[in-house]
């Protein structure tokens, strides 16, 4: 980033999907700490917008992960998105992401150090929470590459609020809506054709929750098997596009299930990812 070697790959991005997939990454940690995760939308309806989805997801996951990490058990973390117009006289809109927590908070005199590289604001925290101190510095750089701003407010022992604001124009939103409604190929696609089918073979409930939530948010169909025998039966019945296979499962494990699935010529070259 410092060398100017990172270029953004902007594409029409569904913000609901972006938020859900970002929340999926911290859901398990939040569940372990009994922290309530909430997604909210305020203001005008929000269309698909031109963003580098991968980079903005990095930003959101970093902020959400910090919020969950620094929030005590039983707390709350809220992700809010909104789209607001700058002034009535312009067509400029701002997309705002806010991550708010009920965590340990930050002293006011430490806030200006938050976004500096290799900095953690309290040396006592360095021993309690592992990290490089690079996360928020990278957040700041990625947001600035989008022409946006990131800011923070906090109160010690009450909580923190991190805000990311990204510029966008109504013209971009309208053109993206047209592109989404009328694909360039001119061919209409059925919902099934747009949603590849993934077979998930997994017996751990926390893993199932996280993986299913992420894949669904990314637009995939997911079918679930909780042991090797179920995986074989579902693969033969549904012919999935991809199989995600846990190795350690009760009864028939993933290795044996993959071996048996491969005996069927239909699945000789089908993609199977071991997990």
């Amino acid at each position: 980033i410092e060398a100017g070697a990172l270029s953004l790959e902007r594409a029409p991005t569904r913000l609901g999907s972006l938020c859900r997939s970002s929340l999926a990454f911290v859901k398990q940690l939040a569940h372990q700490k009994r922290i309530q995760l909430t997604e909210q939308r305020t203001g005008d309806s929000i269309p698909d917008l031109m963003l580098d989805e991968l980079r903005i997801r990095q930003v959101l996951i970093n902020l959400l992960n910090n919020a969950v990490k620094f929030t005590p058990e039983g707390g709350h973390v809220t992700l809010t998105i909104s789209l607001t117009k700058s002034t009535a006289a312009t067509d400029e809109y701002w997309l705002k992401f806010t991550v708010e927590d009920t965590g340990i908070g930050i002293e006011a005199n430490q806030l200006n150090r938050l976004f500096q590289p290799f900095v953690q604001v309290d040396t006592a925290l360095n021993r309690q929470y592992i990290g490089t101190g690079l996360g928020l510095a990278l957040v700041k750089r990625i947001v600035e590459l989008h022409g946006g701003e990131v800011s923070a407010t906090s109160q010690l022992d009450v909580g923190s609020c991190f805000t990311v604001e990204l510029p966008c124009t109504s013209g971009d939103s309208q053109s993206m809506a047209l592109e989404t409604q009328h694909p360039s190929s001119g061919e209409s696609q059925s919902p099934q054709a747009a949603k590849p089918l993934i077979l998930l073979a997994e017996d751990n409930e926390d893993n199932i929750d996280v993986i299913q939530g992420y894949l669904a948010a990314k637009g995939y169909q997911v079918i679930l098997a909780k042991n090797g025998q179920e995986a074989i039966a579902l693969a033969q019945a549904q012919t999935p596009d991809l199989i995600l296979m846990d190795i350690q499962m009760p009864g028939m494990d993933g290795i044996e299930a993959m071996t048996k699935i491969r005996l069927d010529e239909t699945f000789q070259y089908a993609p199977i990812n071991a997990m």
Side-chain angles (χ1 to χ4, degrees):
I1 292 176
E2 288 180 348
L6 177 64
S7 59
L8 300 179
E9 297 183 11
R10 297 175 187 262
T13 300
R14 294 186 179 276
L15 297 180
S17 173
L18 172 63
C19 291
R20 288 191 298 273
S21 59
S22 300
L23 287 164
F25 275 98
V26 299
K27 196 171 185 179
Q28 186 172 354
L29 179 59
H31 176 72
Q32 291 171 353
K33 296 180 68 175
R34 296 184 295 107
I35 291 173
Q36 182 178 342
L37 288 177
T38 306
E39 178 191 347
Q40 295 181 350
R41 298 192 189 193
T42 63
D44 301 331
S45 60
I46 304 175
D48 294 358
L49 295 174
M50 294 293 286
L51 301 171
D52 187 323
E53 183 175 359
L54 172 64
R55 299 303 175 190
I56 296 302
R57 186 183 293 109
Q58 284 182 290
V59 166
L60 294 180
I61 289 173
N62 184 281
L63 295 179
L64 288 166
N65 188 62
N66 280 350
V68 171
K69 183 165 66 171
F70 293 111
T71 296
E73 289 198 7
H76 294 79
V77 172
T78 302
L79 171 61
T80 304
I81 57 174
S82 60
L83 186 68
T84 56
K85 198 171 185 179
S86 296
T87 64
T90 70
D91 283 335
E92 188 178 51
Y93 282 75
W94 286 84
L95 174 65
K96 182 186 291 186
F97 296 96
T98 303
V99 176
E100 192 168 8
D101 63 60
T102 57
I104 59 176
I106 304 163
E107 292 182 353
N109 62 359
Q110 299 282 358
L111 282 174
N112 63 344
R113 301 180 60 225
L114 274 180
F115 299 101
Q116 297 175 13
F118 305 109
V119 166
Q120 289 188 337
V121 296
D122 189 334
T123 54
L125 293 181
N126 291 348
R127 294 188 293 271
Q128 186 176 353
Y129 299 102
I130 297 172
T132 62
L134 270 176
L136 290 176
L138 291 174
V139 163
K140 184 174 186 291
R141 294 295 186 89
I142 291 171
V143 170
E144 288 175 346
L145 280 173
H146 279 82
E149 298 177 350
V150 59
S151 59
T153 58
S154 187
Q155 187 174 345
L156 200 61
D157 298 323
V158 175
S160 302
C161 179
F162 286 81
T163 300
V164 171
E165 294 183 278
L166 304 174
C168 53
T169 66
S170 59
D172 287 341
S173 303
Q174 291 166 2
S175 64
M176 282 185 293
L178 290 172
E179 290 171 10
T180 303
Q181 293 167 12
H182 304 287
S184 57
S185 65
E187 298 177 1
S188 61
Q189 294 185 334
S190 69
Q192 293 295 97
K195 292 186 175 183
L197 179 64
I198 296 178
L199 167 58
L200 171 63
E202 171 66 70
D203 65 306
N204 182 285
E205 292 295 337
D206 287 331
N207 291 346
I208 290 170
D209 193 29
V210 171
I211 297 167
Q212 271 192 319
Y214 176 74
L215 293 175
K218 294 299 292 179
Y220 295 107
Q221 300 178 85
V222 183
I223 51 176
L224 176 66
K226 293 192 175 183
N227 58 56
Q229 196 63 53
E230 285 184 17
I232 294 170
L234 278 174
Q236 292 172 339
Q238 304 269 359
T239 317
D241 298 290
L242 169 69
I243 299 173
L244 300 178
M245 182 72 72
D246 182 24
I247 298 303
Q248 297 180 329
M249 291 185 293
M252 184 187 297
D253 65 22
I255 297 291
E256 185 179 355
M258 285 189 284
T259 303
K260 290 180 181 286
I261 288 172
R262 288 282 189 233
L263 293 176
D264 186 333
E265 288 186 2
T266 305
F267 297 101
Q268 190 172 358
Y269 301 106
I272 304 177
N273 287 9
M275 298 198 302

